[in-house]
Amino acid sequence: MKDATDELSNFKDNKISQPSSINGFVESEKEKKIILEKREKWRQAFEARDVEAIMSYYVDDILSYDLMAPIQFEGEKMWRDNWINFFKFFPAEIKITLEDLTVFQEGNLAAIRGLTRLTATTADGNEVDMWARESNVLRKIDGEWLIVHDHISVPMDFENGMALTDLKPIGV
């Protein structure tokens, strides 16, 4: 049986063929550029703690799976309240980095996947430096790309049931 480390090394060294979709696909490079520019503007609104600007990137009936409880957030009010509470937890500067963003787009539907690094200090003074996995589903409505589903997660250790917030992407 092959060792998992050998398999990972082979994949990283391109000795194993990658599925063609791993690099995403787009019907329109113009739409991809618009989507990535919106994602960057969302990041800036996040770091500015501008809840109104953040909410402008989502549909009113957003469904989100986030790191915090509850297991799902339904609708604009619940999602807005989540952001307000999130920023209370991190009263000082907060930074995120969006890495390895991949866009999939066809017609009026698109998806983005990537890794997000959060660095901040909690209200209790604890330093946070963690990576999470993120996926967004977008729909073009009245000419504007809006997020209809947002999902952010971290892996977990099944032996102890704890979230693994100290993992880093390959090569970091």
Side-chain angles (χ1 to χ4, degrees):
M1 181 186 295
K2 289 186 178 182
D3 182 85
T5 305
D6 292 338
E7 288 294 324
L8 181 59
S9 176
N10 285 338
F11 183 78
K12 286 173 55 179
D13 296 337
N14 290 317
K15 294 178 184 170
I16 296 175
S17 64
Q18 300 175 5
S20 59
S21 67
I22 200 162
N23 294 319
F25 56 84
V26 292
E27 189 175 78
S28 164
E29 288 295 326
K30 177 184 171 193
E31 295 298 336
K32 176 182 178 180
K33 183 179 178 192
I34 291 168
I35 290 165
L36 290 174
E37 285 173 354
K38 281 195 81 143
R39 194 71 185 129
E40 172 58 18
K41 288 178 182 172
W42 177 94
R43 187 195 65 75
Q44 292 171 9
F46 175 89
E47 288 186 355
R49 304 165 170 275
D50 187 340
V51 174
E52 292 308 313
I54 290 170
M55 293 303 297
S56 74
Y57 294 96
Y58 299 97
V59 295
D60 286 345
D61 60 347
I62 179 73
L63 176 67
S64 180
Y65 304 144
D66 207 353
L67 294 174
M68 295 79 64
I71 197 164
Q72 66 190 39
F73 295 84
E74 293 183 11
E76 186 271 342
K77 180 176 180 350
M78 193 176 190
W79 194 225
R80 176 185 304 278
D81 290 346
N82 177 60
W83 284 114
I84 292 167
N85 291 328
F86 178 85
F87 289 127
K88 286 179 186 175
F89 194 71
F90 297 103
E93 181 180 56
I94 187 167
K95 293 280 186 191
I96 59 167
T97 307
L98 305 172
E99 301 285 337
D100 297 328
L101 292 180
T102 305
V103 177
F104 303 88
Q105 177 268 322
E106 186 172 350
N108 290 332
L109 288 177
I112 305 172
R113 70 164 180 228
L115 300 172
T116 302
R117 182 180 186 184
L118 170 72
T119 54
T121 303
T122 67
D124 296 345
N126 295 319
E127 298 289 323
V128 174
D129 184 354
M130 64 174 281
W131 288 88
R133 306 170 291 198
E134 188 171 359
S135 301
N136 307 112
V137 178
L138 299 93
R139 184 169 169 219
K140 195 170 190 180
I141 301 170
D142 296 329
E144 183 177 2
W145 287 104
L146 296 171
I147 300 170
V148 297
H149 178 68
D150 183 74
H151 185 134
I152 188 160
S153 64
V154 293
M156 71 173 277
D157 181 332
F158 281 99
E159 289 183 20
N160 65 22
M162 301 295 290
L164 299 172
T165 59
D166 60 342
L167 299 179
K168 293 179 177 33
I170 296 169
V172 171

